[in-house]
Amino acid sequence: MSHCNAVLLMLALVWFPHASTAHYVALKGELARANTFTFGVALTGQPFAYRRDGEIKGFEIAMAGGVAEAHGLELRVVQLPRTALANALASGEVDAINTFALDGEAPEIITAPYLVVGDHLMVLRGNPFRIRTTADLTGRTVAVTAGSTAEQFARAINKNLADTGQPLMNIHSFPDQRYTHVPVSIGHAVAYFVQTVSAVGVTQDPDARVRLLEGTFQPLREVGFGVRMGNDNIWHAAEHAVAAMVATGKYERLRAKYGLPIDLSPYR
């Protein structure tokens, strides 16, 4: 756990020793709508943020509900296109957005994190090739999507293998992610590399032949509640509510409920 996260947990234990409440943050006049936490969301896919039966659901929505509950607010979820998130936040239409849906860092937005995302190693269910760590990939065939950060992950592993004098992986690059799993699914490759949304979504598909291998993860960035720079009270409200959820175990219960691997937790 980083020093920052350790301090966050310590503060949570001091401020919220018994319950995930955070009423001390002054939010009157700060919110887009009185007595309401308005969360702007672009869908990131199941189980993170997705629409089913006309309702937006998922881990990110549950976390927003925790923030609202901690401050005695109603939760209002506003679905937005990814390209509209930053503008909605800047105009005050919403109090926070899910930065998971942003392509990269936005300097005008500060984040209260609830996930770490990156690239994962995918193997056949049952792991018949007995891949436990990236060291087991030496001399084996793997697949990547050309130009992706997942390809960079694979190339970095090959560099480490080369530096230690071990046989390199045979990396097959595909121009489109939809084809990348094929060599693994038919048994011609032992693993492929892919980003978090796809890795978790496929793993939770009962009909999929592959799953992510926990512990073989390249973290790229923290994501969470994005708040407009200068809206310190709203940012603190979100940060303190997340701290309370972590300290009381609610965060861990939500992570388990939505089947998210421990690699994705910033609080370990």
Side-chain angles (χ1 to χ4, degrees):
M1 181 184 295
S2 70
H3 174 72
C4 180
N5 290 339
V7 171
L8 188 63
L9 285 176
M10 180 186 72
L11 293 177
L13 290 170
V14 172
W15 284 326
F16 322 114
H18 303 299
S20 57
T21 56
H23 296 287
Y24 67 96
V25 180
L27 294 175
K28 186 175 181 179
E30 302 271 350
L31 300 169
R33 180 179 292 186
N35 303 315
T36 303
F37 179 56
T38 303
F39 187 37
V41 175
L43 301 185
T44 45
Q46 191 171 345
F48 302 101
Y50 60 98
R51 181 174 286 276
R52 178 176 293 170
D53 300 326
E55 182 181 356
I56 304 176
K57 303 179 179 182
F59 174 81
E60 296 197 88
I61 309 308
M63 289 296 295
V67 172
E69 180 183 7
H71 295 282
L73 304 171
E74 295 294 324
L75 174 64
R76 174 174 170 247
V77 178
V78 178
Q79 183 178 345
L80 296 165
R82 291 172 183 249
T83 55
L85 285 172
N87 286 340
L89 186 65
S91 67
E93 178 185 343
V94 297
D95 301 312
I97 60 173
N98 61 330
T99 62
F100 194 177
L102 300 179
D103 289 333
E105 299 297 331
E108 71 280 7
I109 296 172
I110 52 176
T111 300
Y114 49 65
L115 286 175
V116 179
V117 296
D119 297 304
H120 303 259
L121 183 66
M122 306 292 290
V123 298
L124 282 170
R125 287 191 179 274
N127 199 7
F129 293 107
R130 295 184 293 178
I131 307 300
R132 308 298 180 194
T133 70
T134 55
D136 296 326
L137 298 173
T138 178
R140 318 292 278 275
T141 297
V142 301
V144 300
T145 304
S148 66
T149 56
E151 182 183 31
Q152 296 171 19
F153 185 19
R155 301 293 179 192
I157 292 171
N158 252 3
K159 183 180 185 303
N160 290 337
L161 292 173
D163 290 345
T164 55
Q166 300 179 71
L168 303 184
M169 298 181 296
N170 180 23
I171 300 175
H172 286 190
S173 296
F174 291 83
D176 194 294
Q177 182 176 303
R178 58 183 166 171
Y179 303 122
T180 306
H181 75 93
V182 173
V184 178
S185 296
I186 64 178
H188 289 330
V190 301
Y192 72 97
F193 296 82
V194 74
Q195 294 181 341
T196 293
V197 170
S198 294
V200 174
V202 169
T203 298
Q204 294 190 2
D205 180 353
D207 297 322
R209 298 191 63 191
V210 295
R211 65 172 179 82
L212 69 83
L213 185 65
E214 291 197 40
T216 53
F217 174 56
Q218 173 179 254
L220 293 179
R221 63 189 180 110
E222 290 187 337
V223 299
F225 298 108
V227 177
R228 188 173 74 242
M229 188 75 72
N231 280 8
D232 291 347
N233 282 348
I234 294 177
W235 179 72
H236 283 305
E239 182 186 47
H240 296 164
V242 172
M245 285 187 271
V246 172
T248 59
K250 181 174 181 176
Y251 175 88
E252 179 60 22
R253 290 191 295 273
L254 287 176
R255 186 191 66 79
K257 175 182 177 180
Y258 289 96
L260 303 183
I262 188 64
D263 291 336
L264 302 189
S265 172
Y267 307 107
R268 293 189 288 152

